[in-house]
Amino acid sequence: MPAGLRKQWAKLSLQVNARMQGGGPWDQARMAAQNFWLRTRMVEEFGPDPDDADWDADAIASGIVSAVILTPEQARGLSVRWQDQPIEQIGYLRRVKNVTAPFERLQHLLPPGPLHELALAWLSVRKVLP
């Protein structure tokens, strides 16, 4: 399938994903994680497209950071003895881990700078999240 057609299908998938979301925190996290994951895979496969923010590594990374709200240091602090935390807190930390998962593939696509350093910090923190 040609790259242009695959990008069109990916755009459609992003639209469907956004419409399938529910109002709960797990639904919101699922939608965000799937959105960032698909966009990252497309940038990996076809390269960035400076004319389309959906296929821009910096835009994806910025979106992940905005979706999480916490800093990596805050997440690390909340994850200390996470097993002893209330179930809601464990679920929140798990959602943070899911949403930041695309950083594993995205980090090598980011140019050196603060956003790249933030991606690396999240990769380190993800190891201690539930």
Side-chain angles (χ1 to χ4, degrees), residues 54-89:
D54 281 339
W55 318 132
D56 179 70
D58 284 351
I60 299 167
S62 294
I64 293 170
V65 169
S66 294
V68 172
I69 300 171
L70 297 175
T71 66
E73 296 78 21
Q74 290 169 323
R76 185 180 300 277
L78 291 172
S79 69
V80 174
R81 298 178 49 105
W82 65 263
Q83 300 90 337
D84 297 333
Q85 301 294 328
I87 193 73
E88 295 81 15
Q89 181 73 22

PDB file of all heavy atoms in Angstrom, residues 54-89:
ATOM      1  N   ASP A  54       0.416  15.882  12.977  1.00  0.00           N
ATOM      2  CA  ASP A  54       0.176  14.497  13.371  1.00  0.00           C
ATOM      3  C   ASP A  54       1.412  13.631  13.138  1.00  0.00           C
ATOM      4  O   ASP A  54       1.588  12.617  13.799  1.00  0.00           O
ATOM      5  CB  ASP A  54      -0.996  13.902  12.591  1.00  0.00           C
ATOM      6  CG  ASP A  54      -2.340  14.336  13.141  1.00  0.00           C
ATOM      7  OD1 ASP A  54      -2.402  14.750  14.321  1.00  0.00           O
ATOM      8  OD2 ASP A  54      -3.327  14.260  12.389  1.00  0.00           O
ATOM      9  N   TRP A  55       2.253  14.021  12.202  1.00  0.00           N
ATOM     10  CA  TRP A  55       3.429  13.214  11.855  1.00  0.00           C
ATOM     11  C   TRP A  55       4.719  13.951  12.207  1.00  0.00           C
ATOM     12  O   TRP A  55       5.735  13.801  11.545  1.00  0.00           O
ATOM     13  CB  TRP A  55       3.412  12.841  10.374  1.00  0.00           C
ATOM     14  CG  TRP A  55       2.076  12.427   9.847  1.00  0.00           C
ATOM     15  CD1 TRP A  55       1.486  12.873   8.711  1.00  0.00           C
ATOM     16  CD2 TRP A  55       1.162  11.474  10.405  1.00  0.00           C
ATOM     17  NE1 TRP A  55       0.264  12.274   8.540  1.00  0.00           N
ATOM     18  CE2 TRP A  55       0.036  11.411   9.563  1.00  0.00           C
ATOM     19  CE3 TRP A  55       1.180  10.675  11.554  1.00  0.00           C
ATOM     20  CZ2 TRP A  55      -1.054  10.586   9.811  1.00  0.00           C
ATOM     21  CZ3 TRP A  55       0.084   9.858  11.815  1.00  0.00           C
ATOM     22  CH2 TRP A  55      -1.007   9.811  10.953  1.00  0.00           C
ATOM     23  N   ASP A  56       4.688  14.724  13.269  1.00  0.00           N
ATOM     24  CA  ASP A  56       5.852  15.482  13.728  1.00  0.00           C
ATOM     25  C   ASP A  56       6.281  14.971  15.099  1.00  0.00           C
ATOM     26  O   ASP A  56       5.480  14.991  16.052  1.00  0.00           O
ATOM     27  CB  ASP A  56       5.501  16.970  13.788  1.00  0.00           C
ATOM     28  CG  ASP A  56       6.652  17.808  14.284  1.00  0.00           C
ATOM     29  OD1 ASP A  56       7.641  17.953  13.549  1.00  0.00           O
ATOM     30  OD2 ASP A  56       6.573  18.282  15.439  1.00  0.00           O
ATOM     31  N   ALA A  57       7.512  14.499  15.207  1.00  0.00           N
ATOM     32  CA  ALA A  57       7.994  13.890  16.454  1.00  0.00           C
ATOM     33  C   ALA A  57       7.926  14.863  17.628  1.00  0.00           C
ATOM     34  O   ALA A  57       7.523  14.484  18.738  1.00  0.00           O
ATOM     35  CB  ALA A  57       9.419  13.367  16.271  1.00  0.00           C
ATOM     36  N   ASP A  58       8.317  16.113  17.409  1.00  0.00           N
ATOM     37  CA  ASP A  58       8.254  17.096  18.495  1.00  0.00           C
ATOM     38  C   ASP A  58       6.812  17.318  18.960  1.00  0.00           C
ATOM     39  O   ASP A  58       6.554  17.422  20.159  1.00  0.00           O
ATOM     40  CB  ASP A  58       8.848  18.431  18.051  1.00  0.00           C
ATOM     41  CG  ASP A  58      10.370  18.425  18.013  1.00  0.00           C
ATOM     42  OD1 ASP A  58      10.986  17.450  18.497  1.00  0.00           O
ATOM     43  OD2 ASP A  58      10.938  19.397  17.485  1.00  0.00           O
ATOM     44  N   ALA A  59       5.882  17.386  18.012  1.00  0.00           N
ATOM     45  CA  ALA A  59       4.472  17.589  18.373  1.00  0.00           C
ATOM     46  C   ALA A  59       3.933  16.396  19.154  1.00  0.00           C
ATOM     47  O   ALA A  59       3.176  16.562  20.118  1.00  0.00           O
ATOM     48  CB  ALA A  59       3.637  17.843  17.118  1.00  0.00           C
ATOM     49  N   ILE A  60       4.325  15.202  18.754  1.00  0.00           N
ATOM     50  CA  ILE A  60       3.873  14.001  19.470  1.00  0.00           C
ATOM     51  C   ILE A  60       4.430  14.006  20.890  1.00  0.00           C
ATOM     52  O   ILE A  60       3.697  13.798  21.861  1.00  0.00           O
ATOM     53  CB  ILE A  60       4.297  12.719  18.725  1.00  0.00           C
ATOM     54  CG1 ILE A  60       3.662  12.676  17.333  1.00  0.00           C
ATOM     55  CG2 ILE A  60       3.911  11.476  19.535  1.00  0.00           C
ATOM     56  CD1 ILE A  60       4.265  11.624  16.418  1.00  0.00           C
ATOM     57  N   ALA A  61       5.731  14.263  21.022  1.00  0.00           N
ATOM     58  CA  ALA A  61       6.361  14.285  22.349  1.00  0.00           C
ATOM     59  C   ALA A  61       5.745  15.364  23.230  1.00  0.00           C
ATOM     60  O   ALA A  61       5.477  15.130  24.415  1.00  0.00           O
ATOM     61  CB  ALA A  61       7.865  14.492  22.213  1.00  0.00           C
ATOM     62  N   SER A  62       5.496  16.536  22.655  1.00  0.00           N
ATOM     63  CA  SER A  62       4.861  17.610  23.426  1.00  0.00           C
ATOM     64  C   SER A  62       3.456  17.206  23.874  1.00  0.00           C
ATOM     65  O   SER A  62       3.047  17.517  24.997  1.00  0.00           O
ATOM     66  CB  SER A  62       4.780  18.887  22.584  1.00  0.00           C
ATOM     67  OG  SER A  62       6.065  19.382  22.326  1.00  0.00           O
ATOM     68  N   GLY A  63       2.738  16.511  23.009  1.00  0.00           N
ATOM     69  CA  GLY A  63       1.407  16.033  23.372  1.00  0.00           C
ATOM     70  C   GLY A  63       1.437  15.037  24.517  1.00  0.00           C
ATOM     71  O   GLY A  63       0.593  15.082  25.414  1.00  0.00           O
ATOM     72  N   ILE A  64       2.425  14.150  24.488  1.00  0.00           N
ATOM     73  CA  ILE A  64       2.564  13.176  25.576  1.00  0.00           C
ATOM     74  C   ILE A  64       2.816  13.901  26.886  1.00  0.00           C
ATOM     75  O   ILE A  64       2.177  13.622  27.908  1.00  0.00           O
ATOM     76  CB  ILE A  64       3.701  12.175  25.274  1.00  0.00           C
ATOM     77  CG1 ILE A  64       3.325  11.293  24.081  1.00  0.00           C
ATOM     78  CG2 ILE A  64       4.016  11.329  26.513  1.00  0.00           C
ATOM     79  CD1 ILE A  64       4.477  10.439  23.559  1.00  0.00           C
ATOM     80  N   VAL A  65       3.745  14.843  26.868  1.00  0.00           N
ATOM     81  CA  VAL A  65       4.083  15.601  28.078  1.00  0.00           C
ATOM     82  C   VAL A  65       2.852  16.333  28.605  1.00  0.00           C
ATOM     83  O   VAL A  65       2.581  16.315  29.805  1.00  0.00           O
ATOM     84  CB  VAL A  65       5.242  16.582  27.790  1.00  0.00           C
ATOM     85  CG1 VAL A  65       5.438  17.558  28.933  1.00  0.00           C
ATOM     86  CG2 VAL A  65       6.530  15.814  27.513  1.00  0.00           C
ATOM     87  N   SER A  66       2.075  16.931  27.710  1.00  0.00           N
ATOM     88  CA  SER A  66       0.866  17.649  28.129  1.00  0.00           C
ATOM     89  C   SER A  66      -0.200  16.707  28.688  1.00  0.00           C
ATOM     90  O   SER A  66      -0.910  17.053  29.624  1.00  0.00           O
ATOM     91  CB  SER A  66       0.277  18.417  26.950  1.00  0.00           C
ATOM     92  OG  SER A  66       1.155  19.439  26.544  1.00  0.00           O
ATOM     93  N   ALA A  67      -0.306  15.526  28.109  1.00  0.00           N
ATOM     94  CA  ALA A  67      -1.322  14.567  28.550  1.00  0.00           C
ATOM     95  C   ALA A  67      -1.030  14.021  29.943  1.00  0.00           C
ATOM     96  O   ALA A  67      -1.957  13.701  30.688  1.00  0.00           O
ATOM     97  CB  ALA A  67      -1.431  13.417  27.549  1.00  0.00           C
ATOM     98  N   VAL A  68       0.235  13.926  30.287  1.00  0.00           N
ATOM     99  CA  VAL A  68       0.605  13.322  31.569  1.00  0.00           C
ATOM    100  C   VAL A  68       0.420  14.289  32.729  1.00  0.00           C
ATOM    101  O   VAL A  68       0.063  13.882  33.828  1.00  0.00           O
ATOM    102  CB  VAL A  68       2.056  12.791  31.525  1.00  0.00           C
ATOM    103  CG1 VAL A  68       2.515  12.336  32.880  1.00  0.00           C
ATOM    104  CG2 VAL A  68       2.169  11.674  30.518  1.00  0.00           C
ATOM    105  N   ILE A  69       0.673  15.548  32.524  1.00  0.00           N
ATOM    106  CA  ILE A  69       0.544  16.610  33.517  1.00  0.00           C
ATOM    107  C   ILE A  69       1.704  16.598  34.515  1.00  0.00           C
ATOM    108  O   ILE A  69       2.305  17.618  34.770  1.00  0.00           O
ATOM    109  CB  ILE A  69      -0.810  16.604  34.251  1.00  0.00           C
ATOM    110  CG1 ILE A  69      -1.942  16.784  33.259  1.00  0.00           C
ATOM    111  CG2 ILE A  69      -0.864  17.679  35.314  1.00  0.00           C
ATOM    112  CD1 ILE A  69      -3.316  16.578  33.843  1.00  0.00           C
ATOM    113  N   LEU A  70       2.037  15.443  35.073  1.00  0.00           N
ATOM    114  CA  LEU A  70       3.132  15.345  36.036  1.00  0.00           C
ATOM    115  C   LEU A  70       4.488  15.537  35.371  1.00  0.00           C
ATOM    116  O   LEU A  70       4.639  15.314  34.173  1.00  0.00           O
ATOM    117  CB  LEU A  70       3.158  13.950  36.671  1.00  0.00           C
ATOM    118  CG  LEU A  70       1.989  13.493  37.507  1.00  0.00           C
ATOM    119  CD1 LEU A  70       2.192  12.036  37.917  1.00  0.00           C
ATOM    120  CD2 LEU A  70       1.812  14.367  38.717  1.00  0.00           C
ATOM    121  N   THR A  71       5.480  15.898  36.179  1.00  0.00           N
ATOM    122  CA  THR A  71       6.858  15.854  35.718  1.00  0.00           C
ATOM    123  C   THR A  71       7.387  14.453  36.000  1.00  0.00           C
ATOM    124  O   THR A  71       6.824  13.720  36.843  1.00  0.00           O
ATOM    125  CB  THR A  71       7.738  16.880  36.458  1.00  0.00           C
ATOM    126  OG1 THR A  71       7.824  16.495  37.840  1.00  0.00           O
ATOM    127  CG2 THR A  71       7.188  18.295  36.323  1.00  0.00           C
ATOM    128  N   PRO A  72       8.469  14.053  35.351  1.00  0.00           N
ATOM    129  CA  PRO A  72       9.039  12.742  35.670  1.00  0.00           C
ATOM    130  C   PRO A  72       9.405  12.622  37.161  1.00  0.00           C
ATOM    131  O   PRO A  72       9.209  11.562  37.763  1.00  0.00           O
ATOM    132  CB  PRO A  72      10.286  12.669  34.785  1.00  0.00           C
ATOM    133  CG  PRO A  72       9.985  13.568  33.637  1.00  0.00           C
ATOM    134  CD  PRO A  72       9.154  14.683  34.219  1.00  0.00           C
ATOM    135  N   GLU A  73       9.889  13.700  37.750  1.00  0.00           N
ATOM    136  CA  GLU A  73      10.262  13.660  39.163  1.00  0.00           C
ATOM    137  C   GLU A  73       9.040  13.446  40.054  1.00  0.00           C
ATOM    138  O   GLU A  73       9.097  12.699  41.040  1.00  0.00           O
ATOM    139  CB  GLU A  73      10.988  14.961  39.561  1.00  0.00           C
ATOM    140  CG  GLU A  73      12.308  15.172  38.868  1.00  0.00           C
ATOM    141  CD  GLU A  73      12.180  15.677  37.428  1.00  0.00           C
ATOM    142  OE1 GLU A  73      11.116  16.247  37.060  1.00  0.00           O
ATOM    143  OE2 GLU A  73      13.124  15.463  36.658  1.00  0.00           O
ATOM    144  N   GLN A  74       7.936  14.088  39.711  1.00  0.00           N
ATOM    145  CA  GLN A  74       6.702  13.895  40.485  1.00  0.00           C
ATOM    146  C   GLN A  74       6.214  12.454  40.360  1.00  0.00           C
ATOM    147  O   GLN A  74       5.811  11.847  41.355  1.00  0.00           O
ATOM    148  CB  GLN A  74       5.615  14.855  40.009  1.00  0.00           C
ATOM    149  CG  GLN A  74       5.871  16.300  40.357  1.00  0.00           C
ATOM    150  CD  GLN A  74       4.918  17.246  39.653  1.00  0.00           C
ATOM    151  OE1 GLN A  74       4.554  17.029  38.491  1.00  0.00           O
ATOM    152  NE2 GLN A  74       4.523  18.312  40.345  1.00  0.00           N
ATOM    153  N   ALA A  75       6.258  11.918  39.164  1.00  0.00           N
ATOM    154  CA  ALA A  75       5.820  10.536  38.957  1.00  0.00           C
ATOM    155  C   ALA A  75       6.717   9.568  39.724  1.00  0.00           C
ATOM    156  O   ALA A  75       6.225   8.606  40.323  1.00  0.00           O
ATOM    157  CB  ALA A  75       5.823  10.190  37.467  1.00  0.00           C
ATOM    158  N   ARG A  76       8.017   9.830  39.717  1.00  0.00           N
ATOM    159  CA  ARG A  76       8.934   8.970  40.466  1.00  0.00           C
ATOM    160  C   ARG A  76       8.605   9.016  41.955  1.00  0.00           C
ATOM    161  O   ARG A  76       8.564   7.993  42.626  1.00  0.00           O
ATOM    162  CB  ARG A  76      10.385   9.383  40.230  1.00  0.00           C
ATOM    163  CG  ARG A  76      11.395   8.438  40.881  1.00  0.00           C
ATOM    164  CD  ARG A  76      12.838   8.856  40.642  1.00  0.00           C
ATOM    165  NE  ARG A  76      13.189   8.904  39.233  1.00  0.00           N
ATOM    166  CZ  ARG A  76      13.549   7.857  38.498  1.00  0.00           C
ATOM    167  NH1 ARG A  76      13.550   6.659  39.034  1.00  0.00           N
ATOM    168  NH2 ARG A  76      13.883   8.001  37.239  1.00  0.00           N
ATOM    169  N   GLY A  77       8.326  10.205  42.471  1.00  0.00           N
ATOM    170  CA  GLY A  77       7.971  10.344  43.883  1.00  0.00           C
ATOM    171  C   GLY A  77       6.681   9.605  44.227  1.00  0.00           C
ATOM    172  O   GLY A  77       6.597   8.960  45.278  1.00  0.00           O
ATOM    173  N   LEU A  78       5.702   9.681  43.345  1.00  0.00           N
ATOM    174  CA  LEU A  78       4.433   8.990  43.583  1.00  0.00           C
ATOM    175  C   LEU A  78       4.565   7.473  43.475  1.00  0.00           C
ATOM    176  O   LEU A  78       3.745   6.733  44.005  1.00  0.00           O
ATOM    177  CB  LEU A  78       3.366   9.472  42.603  1.00  0.00           C
ATOM    178  CG  LEU A  78       2.881  10.900  42.790  1.00  0.00           C
ATOM    179  CD1 LEU A  78       1.972  11.308  41.635  1.00  0.00           C
ATOM    180  CD2 LEU A  78       2.164  11.051  44.129  1.00  0.00           C
ATOM    181  N   SER A  79       5.601   7.015  42.774  1.00  0.00           N
ATOM    182  CA  SER A  79       5.743   5.578  42.559  1.00  0.00           C
ATOM    183  C   SER A  79       6.485   4.865  43.686  1.00  0.00           C
ATOM    184  O   SER A  79       6.540   3.637  43.703  1.00  0.00           O
ATOM    185  CB  SER A  79       6.455   5.313  41.233  1.00  0.00           C
ATOM    186  OG  SER A  79       7.806   5.720  41.323  1.00  0.00           O
ATOM    187  N   VAL A  80       7.038   5.630  44.631  1.00  0.00           N
ATOM    188  CA  VAL A  80       7.725   5.002  45.759  1.00  0.00           C
ATOM    189  C   VAL A  80       6.701   4.173  46.536  1.00  0.00           C
ATOM    190  O   VAL A  80       5.646   4.667  46.916  1.00  0.00           O
ATOM    191  CB  VAL A  80       8.377   6.070  46.673  1.00  0.00           C
ATOM    192  CG1 VAL A  80       8.954   5.430  47.928  1.00  0.00           C
ATOM    193  CG2 VAL A  80       9.445   6.833  45.909  1.00  0.00           C
ATOM    194  N   ARG A  81       7.013   2.908  46.686  1.00  0.00           N
ATOM    195  CA  ARG A  81       6.124   1.971  47.388  1.00  0.00           C
ATOM    196  C   ARG A  81       4.706   2.015  46.805  1.00  0.00           C
ATOM    197  O   ARG A  81       3.718   2.072  47.545  1.00  0.00           O
ATOM    198  CB  ARG A  81       6.126   2.250  48.883  1.00  0.00           C
ATOM    199  CG  ARG A  81       7.505   2.057  49.523  1.00  0.00           C
ATOM    200  CD  ARG A  81       7.516   2.380  51.007  1.00  0.00           C
ATOM    201  NE  ARG A  81       6.431   1.738  51.729  1.00  0.00           N
ATOM    202  CZ  ARG A  81       6.542   0.681  52.523  1.00  0.00           C
ATOM    203  NH1 ARG A  81       7.724   0.141  52.716  1.00  0.00           N
ATOM    204  NH2 ARG A  81       5.495   0.182  53.143  1.00  0.00           N
ATOM    205  N   TRP A  82       4.634   2.002  45.481  1.00  0.00           N
ATOM    206  CA  TRP A  82       3.333   2.106  44.820  1.00  0.00           C
ATOM    207  C   TRP A  82       2.395   0.980  45.235  1.00  0.00           C
ATOM    208  O   TRP A  82       1.185   1.151  45.241  1.00  0.00           O
ATOM    209  CB  TRP A  82       3.472   2.181  43.297  1.00  0.00           C
ATOM    210  CG  TRP A  82       4.051   0.951  42.642  1.00  0.00           C
ATOM    211  CD1 TRP A  82       5.342   0.757  42.274  1.00  0.00           C
ATOM    212  CD2 TRP A  82       3.349  -0.235  42.278  1.00  0.00           C
ATOM    213  NE1 TRP A  82       5.499  -0.480  41.708  1.00  0.00           N
ATOM    214  CE2 TRP A  82       4.289  -1.114  41.697  1.00  0.00           C
ATOM    215  CE3 TRP A  82       2.028  -0.652  42.389  1.00  0.00           C
ATOM    216  CZ2 TRP A  82       3.942  -2.386  41.228  1.00  0.00           C
ATOM    217  CZ3 TRP A  82       1.686  -1.919  41.916  1.00  0.00           C
ATOM    218  CH2 TRP A  82       2.638  -2.761  41.342  1.00  0.00           C
ATOM    219  N   GLN A  83       2.962  -0.173  45.631  1.00  0.00           N
ATOM    220  CA  GLN A  83       2.124  -1.306  46.033  1.00  0.00           C
ATOM    221  C   GLN A  83       1.270  -0.977  47.258  1.00  0.00           C
ATOM    222  O   GLN A  83       0.231  -1.593  47.465  1.00  0.00           O
ATOM    223  CB  GLN A  83       2.984  -2.541  46.348  1.00  0.00           C
ATOM    224  CG  GLN A  83       3.809  -3.025  45.202  1.00  0.00           C
ATOM    225  CD  GLN A  83       5.202  -2.384  45.147  1.00  0.00           C
ATOM    226  OE1 GLN A  83       5.441  -1.308  45.667  1.00  0.00           O
ATOM    227  NE2 GLN A  83       6.127  -3.068  44.486  1.00  0.00           N
ATOM    228  N   ASP A  84       1.710  -0.021  48.064  1.00  0.00           N
ATOM    229  CA  ASP A  84       0.982   0.356  49.268  1.00  0.00           C
ATOM    230  C   ASP A  84      -0.010   1.498  49.033  1.00  0.00           C
ATOM    231  O   ASP A  84      -0.689   1.924  49.965  1.00  0.00           O
ATOM    232  CB  ASP A  84       1.970   0.790  50.360  1.00  0.00           C
ATOM    233  CG  ASP A  84       2.891  -0.347  50.776  1.00  0.00           C
ATOM    234  OD1 ASP A  84       2.491  -1.519  50.652  1.00  0.00           O
ATOM    235  OD2 ASP A  84       4.028  -0.057  51.208  1.00  0.00           O
ATOM    236  N   GLN A  85      -0.083   1.990  47.817  1.00  0.00           N
ATOM    237  CA  GLN A  85      -0.957   3.119  47.489  1.00  0.00           C
ATOM    238  C   GLN A  85      -2.396   2.639  47.274  1.00  0.00           C
ATOM    239  O   GLN A  85      -2.631   1.478  46.955  1.00  0.00           O
ATOM    240  CB  GLN A  85      -0.459   3.820  46.217  1.00  0.00           C
ATOM    241  CG  GLN A  85       0.953   4.362  46.311  1.00  0.00           C
ATOM    242  CD  GLN A  85       1.069   5.490  47.318  1.00  0.00           C
ATOM    243  OE1 GLN A  85       0.140   6.264  47.526  1.00  0.00           O
ATOM    244  NE2 GLN A  85       2.221   5.573  47.962  1.00  0.00           N
ATOM    245  N   PRO A  86      -3.346   3.534  47.392  1.00  0.00           N
ATOM    246  CA  PRO A  86      -4.738   3.182  47.070  1.00  0.00           C
ATOM    247  C   PRO A  86      -4.841   2.778  45.594  1.00  0.00           C
ATOM    248  O   PRO A  86      -4.070   3.240  44.753  1.00  0.00           O
ATOM    249  CB  PRO A  86      -5.521   4.471  47.323  1.00  0.00           C
ATOM    250  CG  PRO A  86      -4.609   5.358  48.109  1.00  0.00           C
ATOM    251  CD  PRO A  86      -3.213   4.918  47.851  1.00  0.00           C
ATOM    252  N   ILE A  87      -5.814   1.959  45.293  1.00  0.00           N
ATOM    253  CA  ILE A  87      -5.973   1.428  43.941  1.00  0.00           C
ATOM    254  C   ILE A  87      -6.108   2.540  42.902  1.00  0.00           C
ATOM    255  O   ILE A  87      -5.619   2.412  41.771  1.00  0.00           O
ATOM    256  CB  ILE A  87      -7.151   0.423  43.871  1.00  0.00           C
ATOM    257  CG1 ILE A  87      -7.115  -0.363  42.563  1.00  0.00           C
ATOM    258  CG2 ILE A  87      -8.476   1.136  44.033  1.00  0.00           C
ATOM    259  CD1 ILE A  87      -6.044  -1.377  42.482  1.00  0.00           C
ATOM    260  N   GLU A  88      -6.738   3.653  43.263  1.00  0.00           N
ATOM    261  CA  GLU A  88      -6.898   4.771  42.330  1.00  0.00           C
ATOM    262  C   GLU A  88      -5.541   5.353  41.952  1.00  0.00           C
ATOM    263  O   GLU A  88      -5.304   5.716  40.806  1.00  0.00           O
ATOM    264  CB  GLU A  88      -7.787   5.875  42.923  1.00  0.00           C
ATOM    265  CG  GLU A  88      -9.222   5.471  43.169  1.00  0.00           C
ATOM    266  CD  GLU A  88      -9.405   4.687  44.485  1.00  0.00           C
ATOM    267  OE1 GLU A  88      -8.486   4.690  45.349  1.00  0.00           O
ATOM    268  OE2 GLU A  88     -10.457   4.057  44.628  1.00  0.00           O
ATOM    269  N   GLN A  89      -4.641   5.450  42.939  1.00  0.00           N
ATOM    270  CA  GLN A  89      -3.295   5.982  42.689  1.00  0.00           C
ATOM    271  C   GLN A  89      -2.496   5.017  41.811  1.00  0.00           C
ATOM    272  O   GLN A  89      -1.788   5.446  40.903  1.00  0.00           O
ATOM    273  CB  GLN A  89      -2.564   6.212  44.017  1.00  0.00           C
ATOM    274  CG  GLN A  89      -1.181   6.793  43.864  1.00  0.00           C
ATOM    275  CD  GLN A  89      -1.217   8.252  43.459  1.00  0.00           C
ATOM    276  OE1 GLN A  89      -2.209   8.946  43.661  1.00  0.00           O
ATOM    277  NE2 GLN A  89      -0.155   8.722  42.853  1.00  0.00           N
TER     278      GLN A  89
END
